[in-house]
Amino acid sequence: MQQINPANIGELGLAWSYDTGQYRGHETTPLVVDGVMYLTSTWSIVHALDARTGKILWVNDPGTPRELGRMACCDVVNRGAALWGDSVYVGTVDGRLVRIDRTNGETVWNVDTRVNNIHYTITGAPRIIKGKVIIGNGGAELGARGYVSAYDAETGDLEWRFWTVPGDPSLPLEHSALETALPTWTGEWWKVGGGGTVWDALAYDPELNLLYVGTGNGAPWSRALRSPDGGDNLFLSSILALNPDNGDLVWYYQTTPGDNWDYTATQHIMLADLVIDGTPRKVLMQAPKNGFFYVLDRATGEFISAENYALATWASHVDPVTGRPVEIESGVYDSSGGVPIFPSALGGHNWHPMAFNPNLNHVYIPKLDMAGIYTVERDYNPETGINNSGNRLSPDEFGAAMAMRAEPKAYLLAWDPIKQQPAWEIEHATWPNGGTLATASNLVFQGTGDGHLKVFAAEDGKILHEVSVEIGIMAPPITFTLDGEQYISVVAGSGGAGVRQPEVLRHKQNTGRVFTFKLGANKPIPAVADKAIPDITPPQNFGTPMQVESGKQLYHRYCSRCHGGSATSNGIIRDLRHATPTIHENWNNIVLGGMFEALGMASFDDVIDEDQAQAIRSYVVKTANSTSEAEVQTAH
Ligand code: CA
């Protein structure tokens, strides 16, 4: 589509916007069919809108129990729905696959895709191939063993399931590909699942009839804990080519053998035809978390090339003959403390979609240069229902390691996959950054964490247009044509894995919002209200130093993932330093009794008791009292 182009991009204006009514991370890629836009929001809710006006047609809330928010490793996000015939399909954060009638929004059926009630969460979009709905899930850090399943789109019957890692070796293998995988594991990995979850990347080549699946990291992260006598741990951090008719493995390529850093290969897989060394090749491209950009032959799985697209200190390069990364000393860590290693567990690139411009042979990558703090957890003791990555330091050690770490930097990187080198790159003012869209008129669209939609010239990265929407954008823009007019849409909403609200938006709060633009439209961008911060004085400090210290340890084990390190909020989930007297009075009822479950605050009564809940409160109160007025003002 070339109607919107570099000459007229300045005339792009807002046609309509729509509020999802849901807070936290919005990661969805909307679909537009027959003039209707289908998108998903937090809690796996599907919204159908008139794509011309944004008028709501129906909303389907699959009723995910809000207390399960605790089981979602990376917020209760959803990356999109799938369409087949007259139905919409969505995976839910409690592990169901739901079929919805797209004419009226009624649920036709829903099936539980989980096995043994383990905490499998679905955040990725299903894909549908020849009447089969393909769906994976997440949850490696919460005890999951990875698999991908195919369901009959009509009936919801399970057609096949491919387990990505072996289970208990005393039991029969579920399929023959696991005969290849089993000898590459040591230790007792199956007791905490092993990982290898299929939480996002699925792609299909109809000509080759191959389904490409990206698999996740090992769990726990450290291979010293997971598989102490070594091994590649197939099929962790791998790209798998499956026959979608029966789920048989055709070929595999492992990006990070013996994964030790949460380097998933679940980043989406892009199919393209490229001329390499004078020969046309059907390739598959991926920029997984590990910092290397891969080009593989997608018919055979043959390794073609890989080079650094982001800072990587765990490996020097990928050996061009073996296709294996060459690990180096700076990627080694142990239980003696925290070691900064690039990339972090957020990856050089994460789920945020990349885009391809076949005129220029550029891939546009939302890139992140950020070091992670890695350790082998002392006294590792996995518990049900919390993050068991095996990477926990004491709060003081973690704080000290973080203080040493350089500020993360986010970029829009235009990558040449043939030369395997950057074409150009733009550094953003803040991190994180959103998915990308490339159009035929040589424009690149990208949203930013500080709430801007930016438009760049595809050739050189020159900024051509910019709109401030005051809500962080993580999701990728899309484009579509209706009645001969080209539209651009993007969903804004901050949250998701490791996201901190940039300073400039920390006093703002809004539910997710869809923005749809076209040439000549001129609606004003709706204002975003300031966050309501109660004007309160924290209660008096209480508890013995030992209780406060114990509260600090417990806070960092159970609370910090959502409420932020050192009881300072990420700017998205409630800042506990601003807890009202009512919250303090009802503390145990909230933490243990599930009083705020409807808001997504889970009960923790299975892992902590009343005294421990009060110890956590004593730590939060102490933190609130030691935060200066000025800090409270800026740290909303
Ligand atoms: Ca992970």
Side-chain angles (χ1 to χ4, degrees):
M1 273 176 264
Q2 303 196 43
Q3 191 177 83
I4 299 171
N5 60 54
N8 61 24
I9 187 69
E11 296 159 33
L12 194 71
L14 185 67
W16 57 263
S17 66
Y18 165 83
D19 282 6
T20 66
Q22 301 296 320
Y23 290 95
R24 301 165 68 169
H26 283 61
E27 301 185 350
T28 185
T29 301
L31 299 174
V32 177
V33 178
D34 300 335
V36 180
M37 177 183 287
Y38 302 90
L39 61 100
T40 57
S41 64
T42 34
W43 305 109
S44 332
I45 298 169
V46 185
H47 307 249
L49 310 174
D50 183 327
R52 292 173 181 84
T53 62
K55 186 175 155 276
I56 185 168
L57 301 175
W58 53 257
V59 171
N60 182 302
D61 181 348
T64 300
R66 301 307 193 247
E67 71 271 19
L68 284 183
R70 180 181 152 192
M71 305 304 175
C73 77
C74 310
D75 203 353
V76 291
V77 295
N78 189 281
R79 294 187 204 89
L83 288 172
W84 183 261
D86 286 332
S87 299
V88 183
Y89 298 81
V90 67
T92 68
V93 81
D94 59 344
R96 286 172 293 141
L97 177 67
V98 183
R99 178 184 172 191
I100 299 165
D101 183 328
R102 82 174 169 102
T103 58
N104 58 20
E106 305 273 324
T107 299
V108 180
W109 48 249
N110 65 80
V111 294
D112 190 349
T113 73
R114 299 172 310 153
V115 178
N116 300 330
N117 290 321
I118 290 173
H119 303 300
Y120 287 97
T121 50
I122 303 177
T123 55
R127 307 294 198 281
I128 304 180
I129 303 171
K130 296 185 281 183
K132 290 186 176 66
V133 189
I134 313 295
I135 190 68
N137 51 56
E141 284 80 7
L142 285 107
R145 174 188 172 205
Y147 59 84
V148 57
S149 314
Y151 291 87
D152 185 308
E154 192 59 36
T155 62
D157 292 340
L158 180 67
E159 298 267 324
W160 54 256
R161 174 165 289 155
F162 183 92
W163 291 92
T164 64
V165 298
D168 183 342
S170 71
L171 300 173
L173 298 172
E174 288 88 349
H175 51 77
S176 61
L178 290 174
E179 288 165 16
T180 308
L182 186 61
T184 68
W185 289 77
T186 58
E188 299 188 315
W189 72 92
W190 68 92
K191 293 188 170 170
V192 285
T197 52
V198 180
W199 58 260
D200 205 50
L202 299 167
Y204 177 58
D205 182 332
E207 198 185 317
L208 298 170
N209 193 37
L210 288 177
L211 162 67
Y212 303 101
V213 173
T215 70
N217 59 283
W221 292 354
S222 156
R223 59 192 174 208
L225 296 174
R226 182 179 72 243
S227 212
D229 295 321
D232 284 351
N233 292 186
L234 291 169
F235 299 98
L236 294 180
S237 306
S238 298
I239 297 166
L240 311 174
L242 305 182
N243 177 341
D245 301 328
N246 55 20
D248 284 354
L249 180 66
V250 179
W251 58 256
Y252 70 90
Y253 174 81
Q254 190 175 38
T255 59
T256 309
D259 167 48
N260 202 26
W261 307 269
D262 188 19
Y263 288 163
T264 72
T266 50
Q267 287 50 57
H268 59 278
I269 292 164
M270 189 178 270
L271 312 183
D273 294 338
L274 298 178
V275 178
I276 297 176
D277 295 332
T279 310
R281 302 288 298 257
K282 289 183 180 306
V283 306
L284 163 168
M285 301 185 279
Q286 194 192 44
K289 277 189 189 175
N290 76 10
F292 291 91
F293 189 94
Y294 292 82
V295 180
L296 307 180
D297 183 309
R298 73 172 180 273
T300 62
E302 182 201 341
F303 173 84
I304 296 175
S305 60
E307 291 293 340
N308 277 103
Y309 70 89
L311 271 176
T313 56
W314 68 281
S316 56
H317 64 288
V318 178
D319 185 304
V321 177
T322 63
R324 289 176 69 93
V326 179
E327 292 185 19
I328 48 178
E329 190 63 28
S330 47
V332 177
Y333 62 92
D334 59 23
S335 60
S336 63
V339 177
I341 298 169
F342 286 93
S344 75
L346 292 184
H349 161 235
N350 207 305
W351 62 267
H352 316 79
M354 354 185 251
F356 181 57
N357 181 325
N359 305 328
L360 301 167
N361 283 326
H362 288 172
V363 177
Y364 302 100
I365 308 173
K367 166 184 148 177
L368 181 63
D369 276 337
M370 175 180 191
I373 307 298
Y374 290 89
T375 192
V376 178
E377 188 170 330
R378 295 183 285 267
D379 310 316
Y380 174 60
N381 179 25
E383 276 178 84
T384 306
I386 67 163
N387 187 310
N388 289 305
S389 54
N391 193 53
R392 196 177 286 111
L393 288 162
S394 77
D396 291 339
E397 282 174 309
F398 183 70
M402 286 297 280
M404 300 287 292
R405 192 183 74 163
E407 243 333 270
K409 287 184 177 170
Y411 303 84
L412 172 59
L413 167 62
W415 184 261
D416 183 329
I418 297 172
K419 295 184 186 142
Q420 284 281 26
Q421 66 186 40
W424 51 262
E425 141 178 304
I426 304 292
E427 187 183 334
H428 291 303
T430 60
W431 71 280
N433 55 6
T436 61
L437 165 72
T439 68
S441 57
N442 285 345
L443 294 174
V444 182
F445 293 77
Q446 187 187 27
T448 61
D450 58 5
H452 290 77
L453 178 65
K454 299 189 176 191
V455 190
F456 302 89
E459 295 88 346
D460 57 11
K462 183 169 174 266
I463 185 142
L464 301 175
H465 188 63
E466 188 170 348
V467 186
S468 169
V469 301
E470 296 191 294
I471 305 171
I473 302 173
M474 304 287 98
I478 62 159
T479 189
F480 57 95
T481 303
L482 272 176
D483 310 328
E485 283 189 300
Q486 185 182 358
Y487 292 79
I488 303 286
S489 283
V490 70
V491 181
S494 284
V499 170
R500 253 188 108 72
Q501 192 79 285
E503 215 51 55
V504 56
L505 293 183
R506 284 176 81 83
H507 62 291
K508 296 284 186 188
Q509 189 167 41
N510 204 84
T511 68
R513 183 173 277 171
V514 189
F515 296 93
T516 296
F517 302 90
K518 65 176 183 178
L519 294 175
N522 54 13
K523 287 228 166 87
I525 300 288
V528 176
D530 279 355
K531 202 180 284 186
I533 303 289
D535 182 18
I536 46 150
T537 310
Q540 298 248 305
N541 286 341
F542 69 98
T544 64
M546 243 174 74
Q547 279 165 326
V548 176
E549 181 56 30
S550 138
K552 180 175 173 179
Q553 304 287 336
L554 291 162
Y555 177 90
H556 283 85
R557 191 167 182 83
Y558 299 111
C559 317
S560 65
R561 194 152 54 91
C562 292
H563 289 282
S566 308
T568 56
S569 161
N570 59 11
I572 296 154
I573 308 275
R574 184 184 266 281
D575 190 327
L576 295 178
R577 292 172 301 175
H578 305 142
T580 59
T582 315
I583 287 177
H584 281 289
E585 272 163 40
N586 289 286
W587 190 268
N588 283 16
N589 212 354
I590 295 165
V591 176
L592 308 175
M595 183 173 158
F596 283 174
E597 270 184 0
L599 305 176
M601 168 60 201
S603 159
F604 285 80
D605 68 345
D606 55 332
V607 282
I608 56 178
D609 64 24
E610 292 193 359
D611 290 345
Q612 290 174 318
Q614 285 301 313
I616 293 170
R617 191 168 79 88
S618 72
Y619 167 63
V620 168
V621 167
K622 181 165 180 248
T623 309
N625 281 315
S626 59
T627 306
S628 73
E629 271 309 301
E631 281 175 273
V632 172
Q633 287 307 313
T634 55
H636 292 172

